Amino acid sequence: MIQVRQVISVLVSAVLLIAGSHLVARDLPNDEKTAEAEAKATHAQINNEERMAVTGGADYASECANLLERDREWTTAIEGDNIDRVCSFWSKDAVFYFPDGKFLSGLDEIHAFVEQNREKAEMSIKRTPMHAYVTGDGTIGITQGDSKLTFRGNDGNLITQSVHYTNVWKREHGEWRCVVSSSE
């Protein structure tokens, strides 16, 4: 069976090929940032300055920050109770991959899943958006972060799962919508 990591890798490669440009990264400040992460952030800043010079000042780092803020807004909605608000961040043809490789396809399936799981007692999701990447033309983006899902298992005990998520976003009518979400 195809692993979620392979699916994500293929999706990210496809996004890069379709967009035809490099990504610019914008990381959240983090006390535990490693030297490698700092080097990536420096590279992203240099890359952004080069792009601004070539494009006449377009601020791609701002686009990354805007997308990261959109993911934070989604996080607030997910942690709330408004199912329609949660689903408003999805594209109508979105795909949601579970860590076991199963998936939901389309907004109707995703909405039904969210609704069904909101009805379960003691279920909660806590997300921490951490990174955002946007293509040079500002039409495709990727966010990554960590999630903790808490729910009551079949045996009655509370279970907490920690996962890393990756979302692929597409700008639709000027607004970012998630087209693919995957966690592992």
Side-chain angles (χ1 to χ4, degrees):
M1 174 159 46
I2 295 176
Q3 298 294 320
V4 172
R5 186 177 298 260
Q6 293 170 316
V7 171
I8 292 171
S9 177
V10 169
L11 289 171
V12 170
S13 297
V15 166
L16 292 172
L17 286 172
I18 292 167
S21 61
H22 299 285
L23 295 174
V24 177
R26 176 58 106 207
D27 296 336
L28 280 175
N30 184 343
D31 293 336
E32 298 176 17
K33 204 176 223 186
T34 63
E36 181 180 320
E38 289 172 355
K40 287 180 183 178
T42 300
H43 175 72
Q45 181 60 38
I46 292 168
N47 196 6
N48 186 51
E49 289 170 4
E50 290 172 357
R51 286 172 187 267
M52 288 174 63
V54 170
T55 62
D59 189 355
Y60 291 95
S62 251
E63 288 297 325
C64 292
N66 290 340
L67 179 57
L68 190 59
E69 181 58 30
R70 179 78 170 156
D71 200 22
R72 287 186 190 125
E73 291 169 6
W74 196 14
T75 295
T76 300
I78 288 169
E79 292 174 358
D81 291 328
N82 187 330
I83 294 168
D84 291 332
R85 176 77 176 134
V86 171
C87 292
S88 73
F89 288 82
W90 289 99
S91 176
K92 68 179 179 178
D93 56 350
V95 179
F96 177 65
Y97 288 94
F98 295 93
D100 64 2
K102 295 178 183 175
F103 65 93
L104 302 172
S105 181
L107 187 54
D108 291 340
E109 281 187 23
I110 293 168
H111 190 282
F113 173 78
V114 171
E115 191 169 42
Q116 175 187 11
N117 282 291
R118 289 295 179 186
E119 294 172 1
K120 293 181 180 178
E122 300 183 56
M123 180 177 174
S124 69
I125 301 172
K126 301 290 182 200
R127 294 175 75 227
T128 306
M130 295 170 36
H131 308 284
Y133 309 90
V134 176
T135 57
D137 65 0
T139 60
I140 305 288
I142 297 171
T143 57
Q144 296 177 315
D146 293 319
S147 277
K148 284 193 180 191
L149 175 64
T150 302
F151 58 96
R152 195 153 298 278
N154 293 335
D155 61 1
N157 293 321
L158 279 179
I159 299 170
T160 299
Q161 291 180 335
S162 296
V163 297
H164 181 74
Y165 72 85
T166 300
N167 295 324
V168 179
W169 299 78
K170 177 174 70 171
R171 197 181 297 268
E172 294 179 351
H173 309 291
E175 191 164 40
W176 289 110
R177 300 261 186 240
C178 184
V179 292
V180 177
S181 183
S182 180
S183 56
E184 61 179 330

